[in-house]
């Protein structure tokens, strides 16, 4: 039964990674790399925490997270899209800002000692009928709503990119911005819109960590998940389906290592996604063609 | 459908009229008081050399460049073109020289991207592909909407561009150097399509620097030189000599080919059964360049010349075969080893692969030379030697301004190219690969560079001249090879003339399979 | 930015700093503190006494080492976001070596070298991934930051944990194995002048050597460099290995000269601040020294600010981020744009 528990936990832990990496996917498809996704999640998680404590309502907390994520990405977009600053450097700077800002406000608000906060968390919701199925029912259909949302988001993002006109414009902004511009549309606007959507998703990812996973906020709560999401997009070859596959594999590998009880120190288990990323990248990077042609420009 | 005939202009006003258009870029007057008038149903040429201001004028027309002065009227009504969107709304459709299609997209996706969203913002594949097919058929053009642009030939891509321009209801179609990337059969197809469009009442502006082509397709010709209009003439009332005089302004000083070095003594550069690394499989190549010989590789852009140059310079691995220089096998050698064996390279994309824009003239000139013992002491480099070297080469190659400390990026393209040639020749190579060495240069700089190449040949250098400029290849080469679909064929020695080479550039004389592919398009 | 007259660059840097200070004053005021008190305690903590100047210099050390490592990489056109991991690797290598060897000056020197080597290895890995497999060094260095962090965590919970097994930290380095103080009984240690020496060496390397010339050319335009016979891969490997070595030496110097123990969160984000240090210094080693001093003083002053004015010291991280944002915004069209082509 422990394996079963771990499998269900893997599904739950994939959710924030899915939100974050699908958000990053939207940005990269539009031609913008955001390495401050980590910072965006951190800021969102903090905003969600404060709002939940203030209002006592998880949904308002989630809304605050989304707003904070979008605000953070609006700043990122102002620098990278409007001012055309270097994306890697802006990302590095924005991460510092996010760590500094959340650290400062956290200590100002809750005190330097960091007495553990306790937050309500999103409760599991049984899907009627489906949850009664043997085995798969409890595995797949007894999660909180944000988990279902994450998995529904995969086909949604795929369809948005390939079966709508805005998706077409977004991909054109990442492949050949000058063509989009010549067609009379603003590449900046398309990229800014993609980044705002990314901000909303990063907001949900941040909210998930505080309000569905940890039930608390600590400094550095995101623990590198923003960077893992970045890697998932590359390893997933810039497709929504690939993102789903890679994040699932990565989380499952971690839990498998934990479950197999080989006496592997937990620090090594935590290294898995990072090392796995590098191994996958080494396998796929030679065939770079899957990357949007104008990525980073 | 949008393919209905365009509204006829009121009281016979020209479809397009530009008057007094001027534009300065800093010191340079790109356009000075330019006037252009194009009627409906007319194919009108805008003829001029590289840098004459043709592209600037068209960018003004497409709202990408804001003119300092001037008035533009469409169908007799003044318009303000402050962006591509306004230009399209005014009925202007543009087919760019470097085709602006999204390559991973399908044909239909490209057309829909340009057209704008359907109702509800959805992209329904089947619906949109049927729309695209029907649309193209309405213009008398055939398209395969479900194919990815990356898989299409350049001729097919251009057809997509034309349909794209017409889709927005363009009454004035502007084509910027449309034949540069096409084979002769593709050019014929293009001309048929353009005549059809003109017959249906559209105005076509055909931008080119090729005299014969302009005389062939256009009704009237406006010649532009250094931003100034040199007159508008009817094609029937002029000839190539007249146009050339207007376009160039003076007759060329001519090239001094100098005494022929006895060719054929030593094959310096030898290429045997070479297979280049490219997406499509290509047959192996064989050729050689002897001491004191210029061998030209002619061909329409994109027929494998880039791959040949990169393979010879060591930037691209060879799949098979052998490259020898002076008898030494260099097939797997690094660019440095090749240079040491006596190979010089003038790459095609000067600013990408040739010079380091951010570094000074002196530093750029030392990129190769800094390894010579005179340039260093132990691990340290000697700045004074860098500077002396630069002063000498700058003077010898007449670079303007003669300042070794300037960042090379602040020099004109012609002067950068001179420096590049200076750098390569100062290494005293025995063989030189030069790819489009005069592209984008003005007449004077072109002549100067071509004379340098001829001097080097007279001194015994083996030169492989790869150029899409047929005139340049004909003027400089002792022997000529033609590149076509990744294959090379030599032009027979007794037939080194325009016609033969031109025909071969279109596939004549190549194995049937290669030609078939071209004609099918 | 490089190439502009020095006075102009200095003025630009001052303007950036002034803008950031004004913004933070507002934030501090919004949190209910007195900006005046905040900045006076910050300044006092940085320069107010001999003791605080010493602390500023101590904080400058790790920032200078890592800043130089980042500078070298950026000049070669590689994005080294991994100075943090290289710093940790260096500290881990130095701790393992110093604790394994019999105490003495030999142990100190060997540990310093081992730290530099470990940092170089941590730079070599992403370099090899880039050169051999085409993996972007941005992702490579970031991922390895986390791996290094976990390795250190494992070490201080496992093989290197103090014998009492009370805290997750290593045994204290024996006094004779530490980097000796410059003055008898003082806190400043030999790692600081050594970092200045490294800055001078880096300047000489970039400006006066043939290899430095090649590295700069490859950093600006790797394609043109390659065609001219300069393999950019050599520069990338060199820049990441030596740059990693510098950051690693920084970790070792911090361990052997200041903390004398290895523990989790050993670095206060020095490797990330290093990017701000390198850019504020315009990627010129001499100016990087000044930039490191500036950020070092901030770090030093922040402790006093927290004690005196009750403002969390993490404010400084925010300050660093804000300054970096302004620097990046200012240089959007300058030499980093050129380095970007390397990607």
């Amino acid at each position: 039964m422990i394996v079963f528990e771990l499998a269900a936990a893997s599904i739950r832990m994939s959710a924030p990674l899915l939100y974050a990496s699908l958000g990053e996917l939207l940005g990269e498809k539009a031609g913008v790399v955001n390495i401050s996704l980590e910072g965006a999640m951190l800021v969102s998680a903090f905003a969600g925490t404060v709002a939940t404590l203030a209002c006592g309502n998880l949904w308002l907390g989630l809304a605050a997270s989304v707003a904070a994520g979008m605000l953070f990405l609006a700043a990122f977009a102002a620098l990278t899209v409007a001012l055309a600053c270097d994306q890697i450097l802006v990302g590095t700077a924005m991460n510092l800002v996010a760590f500094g800002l959340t650290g400062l406000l956290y200590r100002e608000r809750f005190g330097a000692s960091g007495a553990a906060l306790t937050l309500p968390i999103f409760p599991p919701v049984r899907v009627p009928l489906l949850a009664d199925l043997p085995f798969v029912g409890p595995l797949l259909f007894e999660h909180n709503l944000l988990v279902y949302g994450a998995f529904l988001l995969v086909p949604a993002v795929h369809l948005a990119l390939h079966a709508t006109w805005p998706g077409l414009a977004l991909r054109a902004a990442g492949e050949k911005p000058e063509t989009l511009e010549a067609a009379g549309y603003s590449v900046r606007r398309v990229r800014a819109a993609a980044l705002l959507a990314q901000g909303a998703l990063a907001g949900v990812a941040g909210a998930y960590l505080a309000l569905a996973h940890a039930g608390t906020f600590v400094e550095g709560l995101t623990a590198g998940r923003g960077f893992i999401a970045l890697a998932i997009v590359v390893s997933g070859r810039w497709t929504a389906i690939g993102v789903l596959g890679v994040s699932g594999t990565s989380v499952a590998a971690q839990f498998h290592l934990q479950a197999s009880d080989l006496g592997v120190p937990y620090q090594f288990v935590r290294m898995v996604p990072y090392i796995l990323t590098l191994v996958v990248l080494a396998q796929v990077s030679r065939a770079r063609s899957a990357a949007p042609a104008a990525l980073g420009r | 459908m949008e393919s209905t005939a365009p509204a006829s202009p009121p009281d016979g006003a020209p479809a397009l009229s530009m008057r007094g258009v001027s534009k300065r870029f800093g010191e340079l007057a790109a356009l000075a008081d330019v006037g252009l008038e194009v009627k409906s149903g007319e194919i009108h040429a805008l003829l001029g050399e590289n840098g004459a201001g043709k592209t600037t004028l068209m960018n003004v027309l497409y709202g990408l460049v804001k003119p300092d002065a001037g008035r533009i009227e469409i169908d007799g009504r003044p318009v303000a073109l402050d962006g591509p969107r306004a230009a399209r709304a005014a009925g202007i459709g543009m087919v760019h020289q470097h085709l602006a299609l999204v390559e991973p997209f399908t044909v239909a996706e490209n057309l829909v991207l340009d057209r704008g969203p359907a109702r509800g913002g959805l992209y329904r594949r089947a619906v949109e592909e049927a729309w695209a097919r029907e649309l193209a058929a309405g213009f008398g053009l055939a398209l395969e909407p479900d194919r990815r642009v990356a898989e299409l030939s350049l001729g097919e891509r251009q057809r997509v561009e034309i349909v794209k321009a017409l889709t927005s209801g363009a009454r004035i179609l502007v084509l910027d150097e449309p034949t540069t990337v096409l084979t002769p059969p593709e050019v014929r197809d293009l001309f048929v399509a353009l005549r059809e469009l003109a017959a249906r009442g559209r105005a076509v502006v055909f931008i080119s620097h090729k005299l014969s082509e302009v005389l062939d397709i256009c009704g009237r010709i406006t010649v532009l030189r250094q931003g100034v209009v040199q007159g508008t003439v009817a094609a029937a009332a002029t000839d190539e000599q007249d146009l050339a005089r207007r376009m160039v302004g003076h007759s060329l000083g001519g090239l001094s080919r100098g005494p022929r070095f006895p060719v054929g003594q030593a094959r310096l550069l030898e290429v045997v059964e070479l297979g280049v690394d490219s997406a499509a499989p290509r047959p192996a190549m064989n050729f050689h360049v002897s001491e004191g010989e210029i061998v030209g590789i002619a061909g329409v852009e994109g027929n494998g010349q880039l791959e040949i140059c990169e393979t010879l310079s060591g930037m691209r691995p060879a799949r098979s075969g052998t490259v020898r220089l002076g008898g030494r096998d260099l097939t797997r050698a690094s660019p440095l080893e090749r240079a040491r064996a006596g190979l010089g390279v003038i790459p095609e994309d000067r600013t990408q692969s040739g010079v380091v824009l951010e570094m000074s003239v002196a530093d750029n000139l030392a990129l190769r030379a800094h390894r010579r013992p005179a340039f260093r002491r132990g691990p340290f480099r000697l700045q004074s030697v860098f500077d002396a070297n630069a002063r000498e080469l700058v003077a010898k190659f007449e670079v303007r301004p003669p300042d070794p400390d300037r960042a090379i990026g602040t020099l004109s393209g012609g002067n950068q190219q001179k420096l590049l040639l200076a750098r390569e020749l100062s290494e005293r190579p025995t063989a030189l690969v030069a790819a489009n060495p005069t592209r984008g240069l003005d007449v004077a700089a072109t002549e100067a560079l071509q004379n340098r190449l001829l001097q080097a040949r007279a001194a015994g250098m083996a030169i492989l001249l790869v150029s899409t400029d047929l005139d340049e290849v004909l003027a400089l080469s002792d022997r000529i090879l033609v590149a076509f679909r990744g294959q090379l064929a030599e032009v027979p020695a007794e037939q080194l003339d325009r016609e033969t080479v031109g025909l071969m550039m279109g596939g004549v004389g190549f194995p049937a399979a290669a030609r078939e592919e071209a004609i099918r398009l | 930015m490089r190439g502009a007259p020095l006075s102009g660059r200095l003025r630009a840097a001052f303007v950036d700093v002034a803008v950031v200070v004004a913004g933070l004053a507002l934030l501090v005021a919004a949190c209910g503190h007195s900006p005046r008190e905040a900045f006076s305690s910050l300044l006092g903590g940085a320069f107010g006494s001999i003791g605080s100047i010493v602390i500023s210099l101590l904080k400058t050390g790790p920032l200078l080492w890592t800043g130089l490592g980042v500078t070298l990489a950026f000049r070669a056109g590689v994005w080294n976001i991994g100075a943090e991991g290289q710093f940790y690797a260096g500290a881990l290598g130095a701790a393992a070596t110093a604790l394994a060897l019999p105490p003495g000056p030999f142990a100190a020197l060997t540990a310093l070298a081992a730290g530099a080597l470990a940092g170089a290895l941590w730079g070599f890995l992403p370099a090899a991934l880039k050169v051999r497999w085409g993996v972007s060094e941005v992702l490579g260095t970031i991922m390895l930051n986390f791996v290094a962090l976990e390795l250190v965590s494992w070490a201080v919970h496992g093989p290197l944990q103090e014998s009492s097994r009370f805290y997750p930290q290593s045994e204290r380095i024996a006094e004779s194995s530490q980097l000796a103080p410059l003055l008898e009984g003082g806190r400043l240690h030999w790692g600081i002048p050594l970092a200045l020496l490294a800055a001078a060496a880096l300047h000489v390397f970039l400006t006066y050597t043939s290899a430095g010339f090649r590295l700069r050319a490859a950093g600006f335009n790797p394609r043109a460099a390659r065609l001219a016979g300069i393999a950019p891969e050599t520069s990338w490997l060199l820049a990441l290995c030596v740059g990693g070595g510098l950051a690693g030496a920084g970790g070792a110097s911090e361990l052997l000269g200041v903390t004398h123990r290895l523990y989790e969160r050993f670095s206060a984000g020095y490797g990330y601040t290093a990017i701000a240090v390198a850019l504020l210094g315009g990627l010129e080693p001499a100016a990087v020294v000044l930039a490191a001093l500036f950020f070092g003083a901030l770090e030093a002053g922040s402790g006093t600010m927290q004690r005196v004015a009750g403002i969390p010291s993490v404010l400084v991280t925010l300050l660093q981020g804000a300054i970096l944002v302004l620097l990046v915004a200012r240089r959007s069209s300058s030499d980093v744009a050129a380095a970007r082509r390397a990607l």
Side-chain angles (χ1 to χ4, degrees):
Chain A
M1 229 38 213
I2 180 103
V3 174
F4 182 84
E5 283 299 318
L6 283 170
S10 306
I11 288 172
R12 281 195 293 277
M13 272 328 292
S14 300
L17 287 176
L18 278 176
Y19 282 114
S21 43
L22 289 172
E24 179 70 22
L25 177 70
L26 290 178
E28 294 202 11
K29 276 297 208 183
V32 187
V33 180
N34 176 12
I35 68 170
S36 58
L37 193 63
E38 175 88 358
M41 288 165 68
L42 194 57
V43 168
S44 312
F46 181 75
T49 301
V50 173
T52 304
L53 286 177
C55 312
N57 182 315
L58 280 168
W59 294 102
L60 287 178
L62 178 66
S65 286
V66 169
M70 292 177 77
L71 201 64
F72 190 88
L73 263 291
F76 179 84
L79 288 162
T80 56
V81 177
L83 294 178
C85 298
D86 187 89
Q87 296 169 6
I88 300 294
L89 292 178
V90 171
T92 309
M94 294 283 290
N95 272 331
L96 283 176
V97 169
F99 284 106
L101 193 65
T102 52
L104 179 69
L105 295 178
Y106 175 76
R107 290 184 212 175
E108 280 289 326
R109 180 87 167 65
F110 304 112
S113 57
L117 292 171
T118 312
L119 298 169
I121 60 170
F122 282 99
V125 175
R126 284 172 54 93
V127 181
L129 300 177
L130 290 175
D132 298 327
L133 292 171
F135 194 70
V136 290
L139 181 66
L140 297 179
F141 300 108
E142 283 186 12
H143 294 291
N144 67 65
L145 288 175
L146 295 182
V147 174
Y148 303 128
F151 285 88
L152 290 177
L153 198 61
V154 175
V157 165
H158 178 83
L159 287 176
L161 284 175
H162 293 275
T164 71
W165 193 85
L168 207 61
L170 188 151
R171 286 187 291 136
E175 291 290 351
K176 206 154 187 180
E178 50 278 20
T179 298
L180 187 63
E181 200 73 43
Y185 299 95
S186 161
V187 171
R188 290 177 175 195
R189 257 185 234 172
V190 170
R191 288 188 171 168
L195 289 175
L196 283 181
Q198 179 182 103
L201 294 182
V204 180
Y208 189 101
L209 293 177
L211 305 177
H213 173 63
T216 183
F217 183 87
V218 291
E219 284 178 67
L221 171 77
T222 42
R225 286 188 184 84
F227 293 110
I228 294 176
L230 205 67
I232 286 174
V233 173
V234 181
S235 326
R237 318 290 286 134
W238 289 276
T239 66
I241 311 302
V243 160
L244 175 66
V246 175
S247 46
T249 314
S250 171
V251 173
Q254 250 179 315
F255 279 106
H256 179 76
L257 258 183
Q258 253 168 17
S260 57
D261 201 23
L262 296 170
V264 180
Y266 71 93
Q267 291 95 347
F268 288 88
V269 176
R270 288 208 302 228
M271 282 179 206
V272 165
Y274 306 111
I275 292 175
L276 190 71
T277 293
L278 292 179
V279 172
V280 172
L281 287 184
Q283 301 297 316
V284 301
S285 281
R286 272 290 169 227
R288 274 240 175 112
S289 54
L295 187 60
R297 279 201 278 124
Chain B
M1 264 313 46
E2 283 96 325
S3 62
T4 48
S8 57
D11 53 51
L16 168 68
S17 159
M18 301 176 87
R19 269 185 304 220
V21 175
S22 299
K23 177 71 194 177
R24 295 187 75 85
F25 293 113
E27 302 268 292
L28 177 81
L31 296 174
D33 193 22
V34 168
L36 175 69
E37 198 166 277
V38 187
K39 297 180 208 144
S40 291
E42 180 191 26
I43 302 181
H44 192 111
L46 186 60
L47 181 70
E49 285 197 296
N50 288 326
K54 294 171 296 182
T55 306
T56 307
L57 187 62
M58 287 310 109
N59 283 339
V60 168
L61 188 55
Y62 205 52
L64 292 171
V65 167
K66 193 173 157 46
D68 302 328
R71 188 178 163 82
I72 301 170
E73 288 177 8
I74 288 178
D75 297 338
R77 282 182 291 272
V79 287
L81 303 174
D82 49 9
R85 197 189 280 267
R88 288 151 60 96
I92 297 164
M94 184 76 92
V95 177
H96 294 276
Q97 185 177 1
H98 296 290
L99 300 175
L101 297 172
V102 185
E103 281 162 17
F105 282 17
T106 64
V107 170
E109 283 177 327
N110 268 288
L111 292 173
V112 172
L113 177 70
D114 196 69
R115 178 202 68 193
R119 227 149 39 86
L122 292 183
Y123 177 84
R124 277 171 299 183
R125 206 184 155 127
V127 174
E128 301 292 14
E129 285 176 1
W131 166 79
R133 189 172 287 114
E134 216 172 295
L135 179 78
F139 301 128
L141 299 166
L143 286 185
E144 295 173 77
D146 56 339
R147 286 184 68 192
R148 277 184 201 290
V149 169
E151 302 162 2
L152 302 183
S153 75
L154 291 170
E156 289 173 305
R157 292 182 198 196
Q158 195 171 58
R159 214 175 306 149
V160 179
E161 283 280 11
I162 293 174
V163 172
K164 197 170 107 177
L166 295 173
T167 307
S168 51
R171 297 186 307 276
I172 301 155
L173 186 65
V174 183
L175 297 105
D176 190 6
E177 302 274 4
T179 60
T180 315
V181 294
L182 302 187
T183 61
E186 287 175 323
V187 170
R188 275 198 302 279
D189 289 349
L190 172 69
F191 284 5
V192 169
L194 291 182
R195 288 200 182 96
E196 172 71 20
L197 290 171
R200 294 185 186 197
R202 287 190 170 77
V204 177
V205 181
F206 187 96
I207 304 175
S208 177
H209 66 277
K210 295 182 187 164
L211 305 170
S212 57
E213 182 173 290
V214 157
L215 285 168
D216 190 13
I217 177 103
C218 298
R220 290 190 303 156
I221 300 155
T222 296
V223 187
L224 203 59
R225 168 161 40 99
Q226 288 170 2
V228 180
V229 171
Q230 307 293 320
T232 297
V233 291
T238 184
D239 56 27
E240 290 198 21
Q241 281 71 33
D242 175 46
L243 289 178
R245 206 172 44 248
R246 290 171 192 266
M247 182 167 91
V248 181
H250 67 95
S251 54
L252 289 171
L255 302 163
S256 51
R257 284 174 67 90
R260 266 189 78 103
F261 195 87
V263 170
Q265 308 311 315
R267 293 184 167 192
L268 279 179
L269 182 64
E270 280 183 286
V271 171
V272 184
E273 290 297 310
L274 180 69
V276 301
D277 191 33
S278 64
R282 281 170 173 177
M285 287 178 240
N286 291 284
F287 62 88
H288 67 270
V289 187
S290 298
E291 202 176 357
E293 182 184 39
I294 296 183
V295 173
I297 294 188
V300 173
E301 187 170 340
N303 274 283
Q305 298 99 316
L306 179 69
E307 288 84 348
I308 295 172
C309 292
E310 288 189 349
T311 309
L312 291 180
S313 62
M315 300 290 279
R316 181 187 286 258
R319 275 210 185 137
S320 57
T322 315
V323 175
R324 275 195 291 270
L325 182 60
R328 234 182 103 188
D329 186 345
L330 291 182
T331 315
R332 310 254 170 269
S334 70
L336 180 60
E337 289 163 333
R338 281 167 210 251
R340 287 189 168 146
L343 183 73
V345 180
I346 310 285
E348 169 163 355
D349 46 348
R350 177 177 57 240
T351 53
Q352 294 291 311
S353 309
V355 299
V356 179
L357 291 174
E358 298 84 350
M359 291 179 111
S360 69
V361 167
D363 283 353
N364 269 284
L365 286 171
L367 279 180
R368 283 196 193 280
H370 79 280
R371 293 180 195 269
R372 292 184 214 154
F375 281 68
R376 57 192 161 88
R377 184 167 300 142
F380 298 103
R381 67 193 184 90
L382 301 174
Q383 186 65 47
S384 56
V385 181
F386 275 46
D387 291 341
N389 173 62
R391 275 194 301 274
E392 185 195 325
L393 290 175
V394 160
K396 192 169 153 198
F397 282 78
E398 295 165 343
V399 175
R400 297 281 173 273
D403 177 4
D405 290 335
R406 257 179 111 99
I408 201 170
T410 63
L411 271 58
S412 72
N415 282 300
Q416 290 179 15
Q417 194 74 350
K418 282 183 195 166
L419 286 168
L420 194 51
L421 192 66
R423 184 182 88 198
E424 295 301 312
L425 293 185
S426 70
E427 294 293 301
R428 306 186 184 288
T430 51
L432 180 72
V433 176
N436 286 315
T438 60
R439 178 184 280 181
L441 305 191
D442 62 26
V443 180
T446 299
E447 263 184 38
L449 274 164
Q450 290 178 340
N451 276 320
R452 288 275 174 201
L453 291 178
L454 288 171
Q455 282 165 22
R457 160 181 169 271
M461 195 180 294
I463 299 176
L464 184 71
L465 171 69
V466 181
S467 176
T468 49
D469 181 347
L470 180 53
D471 294 319
E472 176 170 81
V473 174
L474 285 168
L476 298 182
S477 308
D478 296 302
R479 289 188 294 124
I480 295 177
L481 304 167
V482 174
F484 180 73
R485 309 263 148 192
Q487 302 189 38
L488 286 181
E490 179 154 4
V491 183
E494 63 280 7
Q495 289 175 280
L496 287 179
D497 53 65
R498 261 196 101 80
E499 283 65 31
T500 311
V501 179
L503 284 171
M504 289 181 70
M505 282 164 68
V508 175
F510 282 84
R515 214 164 66 237
E516 275 305 304
E517 194 193 346
I519 288 165
R520 191 181 60 79
L521 299 172
Chain C
M1 195 175 275
R2 192 164 56 243
L6 186 68
S7 61
R9 269 189 279 156
L10 276 180
R11 201 178 314 132
F14 278 126
V15 171
D16 287 341
V17 171
V19 168
V20 168
V21 165
L24 283 172
L26 284 176
L27 184 71
V28 167
C31 287
H33 301 283
S34 147
R36 227 184 97 89
E37 197 189 5
F39 286 112
S40 68
S41 58
L42 190 70
L43 270 180
F47 301 113
S49 64
I50 300 286
S52 50
I53 290 175
V54 165
I55 295 178
S56 292
L57 289 175
L58 281 177
K59 295 286 183 189
T60 301
L63 290 175
L64 181 52
W65 283 111
T66 49
L68 293 172
V70 169
T71 297
L72 178 61
F74 281 16
R75 288 298 285 266
V78 279
W79 291 122
N80 183 6
I81 315 291
E84 182 80 354
Q86 293 145 14
F87 186 84
Y88 270 107
L92 177 59
T97 310
L99 291 170
L101 290 175
F106 173 76
L109 285 179
T110 315
L112 190 64
L117 264 179
L121 172 70
W122 229 244
F124 170 77
L125 292 175
L129 282 166
K130 177 182 175 68
V131 170
R132 175 75 181 75
W133 287 286
V135 175
S136 146
E137 77 278 13
V138 173
L139 285 174
T141 50
I142 289 176
M143 296 301 134
L144 285 168
N145 282 345
F146 288 96
V147 175
L149 213 62
E150 298 295 347
L151 267 184
V152 167
S153 164
W154 165 72
V156 297
H157 281 97
L160 286 187
Q161 194 177 9
E162 58 181 358
S163 47
S164 68
R165 303 254 153 203
F166 194 69
Y167 290 112
Q169 62 178 15
S170 75
E171 207 69 70
R172 193 179 163 81
I173 310 284
E175 195 160 336
S176 59
S177 301
Q178 298 171 4
L179 278 177
L182 283 172
L183 297 169
E184 197 59 46
R187 292 184 63 194
L188 281 181
H189 57 90
W190 277 98
I192 310 289
L194 213 54
L196 284 173
L197 203 64
L202 186 59
H203 174 73
V204 169
F205 170 76
L206 286 172
T207 315
Y208 299 111
T209 70
S210 303
F213 174 69
R214 288 193 285 272
L215 183 133
R216 285 186 286 128
F220 283 127
N221 187 341
R223 234 186 114 74
R226 187 194 309 282
L227 195 80
I230 298 168
E233 289 82 3
T234 312
S235 293
W236 296 340
L237 275 165
L238 179 95
L240 276 171
C241 289
V242 175
L246 287 168
S253 157
E254 189 70 359
L255 180 98
L256 299 167
V258 179
T259 69
H260 305 139
R261 282 184 198 274
L262 185 66
Y263 44 86
E264 284 185 294
R265 311 207 166 251
F266 172 83
S267 164
Y270 294 125
Y272 297 113
T273 309
I275 295 167
V277 169
L279 290 183
L280 185 64
L283 304 184
E284 295 284 358
V288 167
V289 171
L290 295 179
L293 198 60
F294 172 72
F295 282 113
L298 277 183
E299 294 270 354
S302 69
T304 310
M305 180 183 71
Q306 178 161 338
R307 262 196 326 277
V308 175
I311 300 166
S313 59
V314 69
L315 176 71
V316 167
T317 308
L318 185 56
L319 196 65
Q320 289 162 353
I323 291 174
L324 188 53
V325 165
L326 277 180
L327 283 172
V328 171
R330 192 183 282 286
R331 60 188 296 131
S332 58
S333 61
S334 64
D335 47 12
V336 170
R340 230 164 85 176
R341 287 207 306 260
L343 291 174

